[in-house]
Amino acid sequence: ESPPPPYSRLSPNDEQKPLDLSDSTLSYTETEATNSPNVTPGEFSDASTSPDAVKRSHWCNVAYWEHRTRVGRLYTVYEQSVSIFYDLPQGNGFCLGQLNLENRSETVRRTRSKIGYGILLSKEPDGVWAYNRSEHPIFVNSPTLDIPNCRTLIVRKVMPGYSIKVFDYEKSCLLQHTADLDYADGPYDPNSVRISFAKGWGPCYSRQFITSCPCWLEILLSNNR
């Protein structure tokens, strides 16, 4: 069982590159969050059932959102890589199609149908990479993608078949974060990454905040490197 091609396209710029998935192990387990608003119940399957998976420390939690509502629980990732997809029974990972929510809008339904194979998150020595496995672009924002000392929101567009380093460990350590940063769309977390499916946000779009996007992910990185 291997994800679909392509993996050998040339990078459109220095920040994006193909991702080698030859040795990737995809798995996840779930934990219940206690501090996020608008949590809704869903159906889950736990793919990390081995005793070894419980002993390892996790490196991130993944939350799935539809506009301002978080759907389902946090998924805790122990393996080096995790696949986040819609409803394709291929391999292990975070299946967004299993998360139930009553009265979804038509906009959300259309966007969910575009997730497809979704993304693959991979923890590498230099940081965390996201590979776009879907047939539509994804949009990414993180503290290490922003321009230092600039209040302008930077959102990167990643086309299908490309990957991007969504979080740089070394750069994160060099950043000086202040407590008085003012972000209109919610609290600021210097160790988080936001990824939207198919719909972008920011200064160049009608959606100014990610909470206006129909389907998006919040990657909460652990301090354990």
Side-chain angles (χ1 to χ4, degrees), residues 67-68 199 201 206-216:
H67 293 298
R68 291 181 175 272
K199 303 293 185 180
W201 84 99
S206 60
R207 294 167 293 273
Q208 294 298 297
F209 311 119
I210 195 170
T211 48
S212 300
C213 294
C215 304
W216 58 281

Side-chain angles (χ1 to χ4, degrees), residues 51-201:
D52 292 339
V54 178
K55 296 177 182 178
R56 290 191 295 270
S57 60
H58 71 283
W59 62 272
C60 80
N61 290 305
V62 181
Y64 169 66
W65 295 76
E66 293 177 359
H67 293 298
R68 291 181 175 272
T69 301
R70 209 192 80 207
V71 184
R73 302 176 178 180
L74 285 182
Y75 282 78
T76 302
V77 181
Y78 293 91
E79 303 291 347
Q80 291 298 108
S81 301
V82 61
S83 180
I84 304 172
F85 54 94
Y86 177 63
D87 197 19
L88 299 173
Q90 178 171 332
N92 297 326
F94 187 171
C95 182
L96 303 180
Q98 293 182 346
L99 304 181
N100 296 325
L101 180 66
E102 294 182 359
N103 302 321
R104 277 193 172 102
S105 68
E106 184 60 30
T107 300
V108 171
R109 293 180 185 275
R110 287 198 304 267
T111 304
R112 279 170 62 85
S113 68
K114 296 178 180 179
I115 294 175
Y117 284 98
I119 66 172
L120 180 117
L121 286 179
S122 179
K123 181 184 179 184
E124 306 293 341
D126 60 342
V128 178
W129 286 80
Y131 180 83
N132 185 4
R133 305 169 71 225
S134 74
E135 297 180 355
H136 299 271
I138 60 173
F139 299 83
V140 182
N141 168 259
S142 85
T144 63
L145 289 175
D146 283 334
I147 301 173
N149 302 320
C150 179
R151 288 182 174 269
T152 302
L153 180 71
I154 304 297
V155 180
R156 306 290 186 184
K157 182 178 182 180
V158 183
M159 299 302 293
Y162 292 104
S163 64
I164 185 173
K165 187 195 295 184
V166 297
F167 196 84
D168 187 306
Y169 291 141
E170 182 178 356
K171 188 179 294 184
S172 176
C173 294
L174 297 175
L175 291 177
Q176 297 296 323
H177 301 297
T178 60
D180 60 348
L181 286 175
D182 183 18
Y183 286 84
D185 59 341
Y188 175 81
D189 186 344
N191 293 308
S192 69
V193 177
R194 296 174 173 184
I195 302 175
S196 67
F197 293 103
K199 303 293 185 180
W201 84 99

